[in-house]
Amino acid sequence: MLAKAPRGTRDILPEEVEKWSTLEAFFRNLCKNYNYREIRTPIFEHTELFSRSVGEDTDIVGKEMYTFFDKGKRSMTLRPEGTASTVRAFLEHKLYAQAQPTKLFYFGPMFRYDRPQAGRYRQFHQLGAEVFGSVSPEIDTEVIALAMDFFHSVGLNQLSLEINSVGCPQCRPIYREEIQKTLDKYRGDLCPDCQGRFENNPLRILDCKVENCQEITETVPDILDHLCSFCVQHFEDVVYFLKLLDISYHINPKLVRGLDYYTKTAFEIVDTGLGSQNSLGGGGRYDGLVETCGGSPTPGVGFAIGVERVLLSLEQQNIQTKLLGVPRIFVAALGTKASARGLQLMTELRRLGIAAEKDYQDRSLKAQMKQADRVGASIVLILGEEELEKGKIVIRDMVKGDQQEVDLEGVTDFLRSSL
Ligand code: HAM
């Protein structure tokens, strides 16, 4: 018992930590390029923050929160997600008084008392981004682009972006009634959870995973046919901008998400090969949330990505090299002079942000090629005394297996433009 981590939690051992920090670094860099700034909020908050924002009738608030009373008898909860805390901080520190939009990102552990299984933990980690203060559909598209760019940057290219609109306080109540009207006659056939959802949260019935409920919901008309004209326009604009940015998507009218704060855009990024816990990330617009938390009406939109699921997906697809931060380039130099020039070249590459390594043991070319393979380099630069005299260097592509000779002086420019 003492030598076992609590159920649903995991140690991240040194070899894994390397992958985690690479993921974080990729995300940080990307956020910087997109002009998002990092925020760090407490691990626990007043329980009411989550019950009000995520919603009393959601599984998260109803069943999954780690709630406790502190010694001052205040009800506290370990954060089950990052959006509510970011909204709270946005209000508490009057970030709305700065030029809008406010664009923030975060990384950290979240806690949900869920049934643990592959890809589902009680302590898990999210990379997330939130934007406050803009109603523009361009911003919905920007946050989606940021999430998709992150997945592509770590090598996940086979994911499906599912998108929907969940409407707004004007059109959603009418659609809720429509669901209740359609499902009334099947009420007794729904799973016990959905029977509970029927009154309080009928939209959630649409994404119930129980087969029978899924069959029953086939009869429910699409939400996209019940949106008000503002929501239709917003959705069409988001889709238009996605096309403009060459981001593939799949419209899924059954996508409703498990948190109550969403309005208009809702999206999820799914790895279809990952089994039941296949959602790698999700998000959407939440134009009413800031007001729910006590602020003046302020639109918002964001997403969160589950780090454990990203790692699982990478592992399943055998994508490792990039994440280990392995040197992309190995400099194989032969002889003292060439080795010194190789050292210079390697340092130059490193300063350009290209991971590089060389041999320091005066090994034979054959041994150095083996070493390059072992460290996972995709390119080897071969520099012998002969090449050095000619002012040339050989570039060997370890993946394709071919090689070419180029001018030694121009090699960094050449690599920079071809990598
Ligand atoms: P969410 O869909 O609840 O959204 O979680 C986002 C991601 O966190 C999921 O797609 C999944 O990858 C990961 N995740 C969730 N629960 C677990 C778990 N028990 N174990 C492992 N991974 C998990 C949110 O949390 C929203 N706050 C996202 C958002 C931000 N919406 C707007 N802004």
Side-chain angles (χ1 to χ4, degrees), residues 81 83 112 119 121 126 130 257 261-262 279-281 302-303 306:
E81 58 106 53
T83 312
R112 294 184 194 174
Y121 305 97
Q126 287 186 342
E130 314 288 352
R257 313 262 309 125
Y261 48 63
Y262 292 110
S279 161
L280 298 196
F303 68 82

Side-chain angles (χ1 to χ4, degrees), residues 20-39:
W20 282 70
S21 16
T22 314
L23 278 188
E24 282 174 54
F26 273 83
F27 191 64
R28 281 210 165 84
N29 270 339
L30 210 56
C31 286
K32 215 164 78 185
N33 289 349
Y34 273 76
N35 191 31
Y36 286 61
R37 298 178 71 203
E38 184 169 357
I39 184 161

Side-chain angles (χ1 to χ4, degrees), residues 210-224:
V210 176
E211 206 176 309
N212 194 39
C213 295
Q214 282 183 351
E215 272 171 32
I216 293 172
T217 55
E218 288 299 320
T219 54
V220 175
D222 275 3
I223 188 164
L224 294 172

Side-chain angles (χ1 to χ4, degrees), residues 194-212:
C194 284
Q195 294 195 16
R197 289 169 184 148
F198 187 89
E199 286 302 339
N200 308 327
N201 209 348
L203 247 80
R204 283 307 311 273
I205 301 176
L206 297 187
D207 75 350
C208 177
K209 300 286 178 278
V210 176
E211 206 176 309
N212 194 39

Side-chain angles (χ1 to χ4, degrees), residues 77-94:
T77 293
L78 298 185
R79 62 182 187 195
E81 58 106 53
T83 312
S85 309
T86 312
V87 170
R88 200 251 323 118
F90 174 79
L91 289 173
E92 183 170 341
H93 305 289
K94 301 189 175 51

Side-chain angles (χ1 to χ4, degrees), residues 54 60 64 80-84 106 110-115 117 119-126 128-130 257-259 261-262 267-269 277-286 301-310:
V54 175
I60 296 179
E64 297 170 3
E81 58 106 53
T83 312
Y106 51 86
M110 309 290 160
F111 306 85
R112 294 184 194 174
Y113 190 81
D114 213 336
R115 200 164 37 80
Q117 53 178 276
R120 190 152 84 189
Y121 305 97
R122 291 182 173 168
Q123 173 173 330
F124 60 98
H125 298 74
Q126 287 186 342
E130 314 288 352
R257 313 262 309 125
L259 305 99
Y261 48 63
Y262 292 110
F267 61 91
E268 239 165 63
I269 298 114
Q277 304 306 308
N278 64 5
S279 161
L280 298 196
R285 184 164 272 286
Y286 45 83
V301 55
F303 68 82
I305 291 170
V307 178
E308 286 82 354
R309 293 200 192 160
V310 170

